[in-house]
Amino acid sequence: MSSDALFLSVWWQKSALEMWWFQQGLSFLPVALVVWSAASFVFSYITAIVLHHVDPLVPYISDTGTIPPERCLFGIMLNVSTFLGMATMYIRYKQVSALSPEKPKILRLNKLGLMLGWMSCFGLCIIANFQKCILYYIHVLGACLTFGVGSIYMLVQTILSYLMQPELHSKDIFWARLAVFLWSCSSILSMFVSSVVLYSGLYGQNLVQKLHWDPQERGYTPHIISTVSEWSLAFSFLSFFLTYIRDFQKISLRAVVSLQGQTLHESPGSFRAEEQALLIAGSI
């Protein structure tokens, strides 16, 4: 190896070591998704509490985004989370495809995972734009897509992690994703049972519109169980995406533009013989 090549190799290794962990590869994507989504919950919660729109003790996440101005903040921040979620899931899809190009079972599961993940993101967009107290059934549909279909997405990714270990995945990643998936399932079950009990009619009517609860009221216990389960479920989803960070440190994407003409007014066929590709954007 020449001295110049040796110098470049040492410089590259030193630069890689000096990078912050979230600067490596595309690891900033799941980090941004988790931090931004958590901030959307926390900021809307703080705003709703300061304005006395909800009770301080564990309200429904959706209740903290029901009344303006927190409704506007909640909506726009969750819309950004939808975009970050779709981008993160797409990168994961491309990574698995590149690592297992000749394994049909993994490729089929990978495509299924992407479809389920994007359906879950669409549900999050519905939650952001159709408030619980205004269009309840559409909001519930969005919640079912986000959490129900999203849990199946987590299951598919956990299975993929199992199939890809130990050659491509460590066993620790598989066990971590399995643990988070079971956490989300327990939260869904708890939330479903408590919500069915709460809205069964035993504790009054029109509870959907109720934003303030007295601890002495009938139905307060299933209400608290339901709200705690919802917060637990939301953070189990965020925790699952944290497991992508190490994987995303080892991947980058490049965009390639294929020119069909030297000018914008030429027909594509006139330049086909001289078609050329230019690399732009570098690592995203």
Side-chain angles (χ1 to χ4, degrees):
M1 181 183 293
S2 67
S3 59
D4 290 342
L6 180 61
F7 171 77
L8 289 175
S9 176
V10 173
W11 174 84
W12 183 86
Q13 293 177 13
K14 183 179 179 182
S15 299
L17 290 173
E18 290 176 350
M19 293 175 65
W20 291 93
W21 57 270
F22 58 84
Q23 293 178 299
Q24 299 176 22
L26 292 173
S27 59
F28 70 89
L29 257 181
V31 173
L33 171 61
V34 171
V35 172
W36 184 271
S37 299
S40 69
F41 301 149
V42 173
F43 289 165
S44 59
Y45 169 79
I46 292 174
T47 305
I49 293 300
V50 170
L51 297 177
H52 305 289
H53 290 163
V54 295
D55 296 324
L57 183 59
V58 202
Y60 280 114
I61 296 176
S62 299
D63 286 349
T64 66
T66 296
I67 302 175
E70 61 266 24
R71 180 171 73 186
C72 307
L73 181 66
F74 184 78
I76 194 170
M77 293 191 73
L78 280 192
N79 283 328
V80 174
S81 293
T82 299
F83 169 76
L84 291 173
M86 293 182 68
T88 301
M89 293 169 180
Y90 178 73
I91 299 301
R92 173 64 179 169
Y93 164 78
K94 296 296 290 185
Q95 184 181 47
V96 173
S97 297
L99 290 172
S100 306
E102 298 179 356
K103 297 183 178 180
K105 184 177 181 180
I106 289 180
L107 294 177
R108 287 195 297 270
L109 278 174
N110 194 32
K111 291 180 181 178
L112 175 64
L114 179 65
M115 180 183 69
L116 293 171
W118 281 3
M119 287 176 62
S120 177
C121 290
F122 178 66
L124 184 62
C125 188
I126 292 176
I127 290 175
N129 295 285
F130 295 89
Q131 285 72 38
K132 170 187 170 185
C133 293
I134 299 176
L135 294 168
Y136 175 70
Y137 291 106
I138 296 180
H139 185 87
V140 169
L141 173 63
C144 291
L145 287 174
T146 301
F147 296 124
V149 178
S151 293
I152 303 175
Y153 169 80
M154 292 167 62
L155 173 62
V156 170
Q157 292 301 323
T158 303
I159 294 173
L160 285 172
S161 300
Y162 175 78
L163 295 175
M164 296 170 70
Q165 57 91 31
E167 296 85 2
L168 301 174
H169 264 304
S170 69
K171 291 184 178 180
D172 292 341
I173 289 294
F174 162 68
W175 286 113
R177 288 175 182 163
L178 179 60
V180 175
F181 169 68
L182 294 177
W183 172 15
S184 71
C185 288
S186 63
S187 298
I188 287 177
L189 180 61
S190 175
M191 182 178 175
F192 176 77
V193 172
S194 58
S195 296
V196 168
V197 172
L198 180 63
Y199 294 108
S200 62
L202 297 174
Y203 303 106
Q205 302 297 323
N206 204 28
L207 295 181
V208 173
Q209 308 291 332
K210 191 177 179 64
L211 298 179
H212 296 278
W213 286 79
D214 188 327
Q216 305 303 320
E217 283 185 280
R218 295 175 65 250
Y220 183 75
T221 298
H223 165 73
I224 286 296
I225 295 174
S226 180
T227 57
V228 169
S229 300
E230 184 186 45
W231 281 92
S232 173
L233 179 59
F235 280 96
S236 71
F237 270 62
L238 298 185
S239 299
F240 190 85
F241 287 108
L242 287 177
T243 67
Y244 282 178
I245 292 176
R246 179 174 293 183
D247 295 346
F248 278 36
Q249 288 176 336
K250 305 175 181 68
I251 186 173
S252 61
L253 290 183
R254 295 179 183 276
V256 177
V257 174
S258 179
L259 298 180
Q260 302 296 323
Q262 291 180 330
T263 64
L264 297 180
H265 57 74
E266 288 183 357
S267 62
S270 64
F271 190 66
R272 191 164 297 163
E274 303 176 19
E275 184 183 79
Q276 51 185 293
L278 297 178
L279 188 65
I280 64 167
S283 297
I284 297 179

